Each structure stands twice: as structure tokens, then as C-alpha cells.
Amino acid sequence: MGTNRHMSVDSRGRYTPEALGEVTPGSEGPAGSRSHNLLSTRRASLMQEPVLVLNATYEPINVTAVRRAMVLMLKGVAQAEEMHNAEVHSAAHAHKVPSVIRLLAYRHIPQQSRALSRKNILLRDRNTCQFCVRVFPSSELTLDHVMPRSRGGRSTWENLVACCYRCNNSKGDRTPEEAGLKLARKPRPFTLHTSRQLMRLIKHRDERWHKYLFY
Ligand SMILES: [Zn+2]
């Protein structure tokens, strides 16, 4: 698979922007506001539309642009899983535009590349206190060690959850069971490799992405 080697991966195992030609989310307005643009401009912006990149295992690992996604498909590195309702035309052909592509060869994404941070924990838990199951602004949430640190609980994806101050206070130095609290769901490592990018995008992304992002 000689073509695969051209895709660069940085020291933390992530695709570099050069490798997948990443787009900056939010740099374009809603599609409607572009409707007055010239055809060539629309084609250019269509080529910059974000495409969800899945690993061979269907795990979402990146976001790239239509242009780069089509290059990966032409090289035989990836195949389309979902299509846009749009086409681009070359001299001889009309090409369907992908919305989701999947790499044909599995890429190892090291666990440590999924940065464990307060921001990512809140994203994973969708700003929902995992004990009272209410949604709060980030400023009103803290991170709770499910097994308290004072009792050997570690700062890991599996032991940290979003928690409101009230629940955090009432839990104190106890396990949820001891405090009579129940976790909304078992905390797991974040499977979205490029969480920030993806999360910013899915707010206004088409539904073709959803089944890959929420499961
Ligand atoms: Zn709470």
C-alpha cells in the first residue's frame, strides 16, 4: 500500500493537517447565504465542505475537506460511506461528493492522543452532571473523581465525570454508592479523536454523520 505512506501522522499518532487537508470549521456561512455566488465560487466552496473520516473500524477519527476526501478515494485509500446530494463536474465526468469516507486500511490511533482534559470530559458528558443528570454551563461544572483521589482514584477517562458543585459537595470523599448517588452512565474514553473539531461541526452537520458519531 504505497499510497498510504504519503499520509503523514504526527508524533502523537494523529493525522497532520497537511496529511488530510483539514478545514477550519465555521469559516463558512450557512449554505443559503452563498446562493447568490457564482457557480465557480459554489464549486470551490463545495470542495471545502467538511467530510467525516472514519477508520476502517468505522470509528470517527478526523474531519477533512471534500477535495482531500476525493483524492483519498481516487488513490484507493478510502471509500465513500455517505454521499452529499451534490456533484462536481470535471471535463468528462460528474463526481458524487462524499459526506463520510472510511479508510480501507486500519490506522492505529494511540490512546494517549485523546487528550484527557476538563474540556474533553465536559464534551464527552455533554455538560451534563453525571449524578443529577442536569445540563449546566461549563462554568458551573467541576470534574468529580468517581473513586475519590484520597482513596486511590486516578485521573483517567474512566474515573472522571462532569459534576455540578452541588452533587460534588454532597458526594464528598465517598464513592457514588456510599453517597447514595448513581452515575448516569459508565464513564468511557472519548472515542472522538478530533473532538473539538467534530463537536463544533456536528451542530450544523447533516444527519449522515450522526450514526457514526453517536452510538
Ligand atoms: Zn448534579
Side-chain angles (χ1 to χ4, degrees):
M1 296 292 276
T3 50
N4 282 1
R5 273 185 228 116
H6 296 297
M7 293 177 58
S8 43
V9 172
D10 71 15
S11 58
R12 294 170 75 191
R14 293 185 294 210
Y15 298 106
T16 61
E18 307 80 71
L20 286 179
E22 289 182 46
V23 294
T24 308
S27 60
E28 292 178 2
S33 69
R34 297 197 300 268
S35 58
H36 63 281
N37 288 354
L38 295 170
L39 189 64
S40 58
T41 312
R42 281 170 55 200
R43 187 195 148 149
S45 70
L46 178 63
M47 294 303 272
Q48 291 307 314
E49 282 287 305
V51 175
L52 182 64
V53 182
L54 307 175
N55 212 336
T57 52
Y58 292 89
E59 182 189 22
I61 53 171
N62 213 333
V63 175
T64 189
V66 164
R67 182 188 305 279
R68 179 64 188 161
M70 290 179 81
V71 169
L72 294 176
M73 286 163 61
L74 285 170
K75 282 182 170 175
V77 172
Q79 70 176 34
E81 291 293 328
E82 307 284 338
M83 306 303 282
H84 267 298
N85 300 320
E87 291 180 338
V88 287
H89 300 268
S90 62
H93 301 283
H95 301 275
K96 287 228 168 182
V97 173
S99 167
V100 178
I101 62 168
R102 184 169 66 91
L103 300 179
L104 296 179
Y106 177 75
R107 306 247 150 204
H108 178 65
I109 309 291
Q111 192 72 20
Q112 64 268 24
S113 70
R114 294 168 188 154
L116 180 70
S117 66
R118 170 187 152 82
K119 200 170 170 183
N120 281 344
I121 300 265
L122 297 188
L123 268 175
R124 180 198 63 185
D125 294 345
R126 311 219 187 129
N127 274 54
T128 305
C129 171
Q130 293 299 292
F131 296 110
C132 67
V133 204
R134 287 168 60 204
V135 177
F136 292 89
S138 301
S139 60
E140 292 175 30
L141 286 166
T142 184
L143 297 185
D144 180 66
H145 285 78
V146 178
M147 172 59 74
R149 253 188 305 196
S150 60
R151 295 166 56 176
R154 294 169 58 211
S155 297
T156 60
W157 282 108
E158 293 83 356
N159 197 47
L160 284 169
V161 292
C163 182
C164 73
Y165 285 104
R166 198 172 157 195
C167 289
N168 192 242
N169 280 335
S170 74
K171 180 170 174 282
D173 256 4
R174 298 178 291 177
T175 65
E177 295 74 35
E178 290 167 354
L181 295 167
K182 201 166 174 287
L183 276 172
R185 60 175 186 166
K186 190 172 150 56
R188 279 186 256 189
F190 205 11
T191 55
L192 299 184
H193 178 54
T194 48
S195 53
R196 271 168 293 167
Q197 256 188 331
L198 289 169
M199 286 296 170
R200 252 184 275 152
L201 282 162
I202 56 173
K203 286 187 185 142
H204 55 87
R205 259 313 84 201
D206 65 75
E207 298 191 343
R208 285 169 285 233
W209 287 28
H210 286 204
K211 66 182 171 193
Y212 304 102
L213 294 170
F214 302 109
Y215 48 87

